[in-house]
Amino acid sequence: MTANLRRAAGSLLVVGLGGTELTGLERAWLRVVQPAGIILFRRNIASASQTRSLLAGATNLCSPHSLRCVDVEGGTVDRLRDALAPMPSAQAVARAAASKPTNSFALRHGELIGQAVEAFGFNTTLAPVLDLGLPDSAEVMGTRAAAATPAGVVDYARAFLSGLAAQAVVGCGKHFPGLGSGTRDSHLETPSILRNARELWRDDLTPYRELRNALPMVMVNHAAYPATPGKTLPASVSPYWITTVLRRRIGYRGIIFSDDLEMGGILKFIPIEEAVVEAVRAGMDLMEICHSPELILRAYEALLAEGERSAAFREKLLLRARTVARLRTRLFTNGISKALSGKQFDTLRTRILRFGETIAKAQPTAEAQAI
C-alpha cells in the first residue's frame, strides 16, 4: 500500500474528539489518519484558551491547510453559548431583518459569529442553514431555518455569508438538497421526503442555485427523496444528488461536505465502511465522523481496502484528494489567529448579548407575523 493512498484516504475525513484535551490514543490515531480537519462540540469546549490549545495540538497532526470546524448557527445550535454568550437564531434574525431594507441584522449576525468562532481558534462554522422553514419540518428544525420562502432564505444567507467572509471565516450551506419538508430527525433515522424533483428545484434548491458562488462549502444530508431519480438512496451517498444535481446542474465548484456519518440516517441504511466508499463514488469531497474513534478508523481502513482492491476507485480517491487539497489551500490559508485579551473577549461577549437584545426587541408582533 502506497503512502500516497494512505494520505489521500485520511485527507477526505473530518473527525471529532472525545473531550477537552487530546488523549494519547487520539494522538496516535490522528498521526495515522492525518485527517483534513477537526470538528469540536460543546463536550470539547470549556474556554477559549483551552479550545485554542486543543485545536492547535490536533491540527498539528492533520493534513496541511486543515479545517477547524464548529457548529454555530445561533439559537439551538450554538456550541459556544456556554463558553461565550448565546447567539440569536437565524429565524429570529431573519424576522427582525424584515424591517431593515439593508438586511444589516443578518450581516451583523455573520460578523459576530465569525468573530466568536475565530476567538476560539476555529476557521469554519457549519452555517448557514438553507432549509426552508416549512410546517412539515417545524418540530424537527425549530428556529434553525431562517424563512419559509426561498427568497427569504437567500436574503438572510447572502448577508450572513458576507459577514463571515469579512472575518475570514468559512461558512457551509446546509442541508442539501433540503430538509424543509422532512418530518423525521436524520440524527436518528433516514427521513423520506416526498417532494418531486420539480418542486425541489423550484423551492428547496433555489438557495443553492442563487448562492452557488458565495458558498465555500455545502453539506449534504442523509434524507432520501423517493419521488426523484435519487429514489430511496440517502443524498449523502447519491450520485444523482451530489454529481448530477449539485455539480452539473447547479454548477457548484466548492467543497461538498457530508453530514455526520455517525447519524442514524445513514448508519441504519448502510454500515460506515460502505457509506464512506459510496460517498466518494457519488462525488463527496469531505466526510465528517464526529465522535467514535472506532468508526473513524473503520472508515479510513475501508477507503484503503477499496483503493487496494479497485484500480478505478484508487484513481478516483487520489484525484479527489488532490482536488480537495487545492480547495483547502485556497480557503484555509491562515493558522490560528492571535488570542483576544481578557478585555477584548469581554467586549465581544457584550456585543453578542446586546445584539441578542436588539433582535428580541425587533421581533414582529403576532399580528404582524400573521399578515
Side-chain angles (χ1 to χ4, degrees), residues 18-41:
T20 56
E21 296 181 356
L22 273 182
T23 66
L25 179 60
E26 286 171 335
R27 289 181 186 278
W29 63 253
L30 282 169
R31 286 191 185 97
V32 171
V33 176
Q34 296 180 49
I38 301 294
I39 180 166
L40 299 186
F41 293 83

Side-chain angles (χ1 to χ4, degrees), residues 322-355:
R322 289 194 295 271
T323 300
V324 176
R326 285 195 297 270
L327 291 170
R328 292 204 324 267
T329 299
R330 177 171 57 84
L331 286 175
F332 305 108
T333 56
N334 299 323
I336 296 176
S337 61
K338 183 180 177 182
L340 298 183
S341 67
K343 183 177 180 180
Q344 289 171 324
F345 191 84
D346 288 342
T347 298
L348 176 58
R349 176 185 284 124
T350 299
R351 287 202 300 264
I352 293 170
L353 291 171
R354 287 178 178 169
F355 179 68

Side-chain angles (χ1 to χ4, degrees), residues 130-137 147-151 153 175 177-183 191-209 221 223-233 240-241 245:
L130 300 181
D131 303 312
L132 304 183
L134 302 177
D136 289 344
S137 61
T149 65
V153 171
H175 308 83
L179 293 175
S181 297
T183 59
S192 184
I193 293 176
L194 301 181
R195 297 194 119 192
N196 62 39
R198 181 175 296 180
E199 291 169 325
L200 288 161
W201 183 262
R202 181 193 64 206
D203 298 330
D204 303 70
L205 293 175
T206 292
Y208 298 94
R209 291 158 50 202
N221 72 49
Y225 299 81
T228 75
K231 303 297 183 183
T232 58
L233 201 61
Y240 171 74
W241 285 114
V245 176

Side-chain angles (χ1 to χ4, degrees), residues 90-176:
Q91 184 181 96
V93 171
R95 286 179 174 174
S99 63
K100 304 279 283 188
T102 61
N103 214 356
S104 59
F105 284 152
L107 177 68
R108 186 62 175 152
H109 199 211
E111 289 173 343
L112 285 172
I113 286 180
Q115 291 167 15
V117 302
E118 188 178 33
F120 281 73
F122 298 101
N123 59 13
T124 306
T125 182
L126 300 181
V129 169
L130 300 181
D131 303 312
L132 304 183
L134 302 177
D136 289 344
S137 61
E139 186 173 342
V140 175
M141 295 299 295
T143 60
R144 297 177 70 189
T149 65
V153 171
V154 169
D155 286 347
Y156 164 79
R158 193 184 301 280
F160 177 88
L161 288 163
S162 293
L164 288 183
Q167 306 304 316
V169 169
V170 170
C172 178
K174 60 187 186 184
H175 308 83
F176 179 88

Side-chain angles (χ1 to χ4, degrees), residues 11-91:
S11 72
L12 300 186
L13 301 176
V14 172
V15 302
L17 303 170
T20 56
E21 296 181 356
L22 273 182
T23 66
L25 179 60
E26 286 171 335
R27 289 181 186 278
W29 63 253
L30 282 169
R31 286 191 185 97
V32 171
V33 176
Q34 296 180 49
I38 301 294
I39 180 166
L40 299 186
F41 293 83
R42 288 171 74 178
R43 68 177 182 267
N44 307 116
I45 299 169
S47 68
S49 59
Q50 164 272 322
T51 304
R52 293 166 66 87
S53 177
L54 176 60
L55 285 169
T59 55
N60 190 49
L61 302 171
C62 290
S63 296
H65 303 286
S66 56
L67 291 76
R68 303 186 300 273
C69 302
V70 67
D71 283 292
V72 181
E73 303 167 9
T76 57
V77 179
D78 180 358
R79 312 304 186 202
L80 303 182
R81 63 182 300 120
D82 294 338
L84 180 56
M87 194 77 67
S89 71
Q91 184 181 96

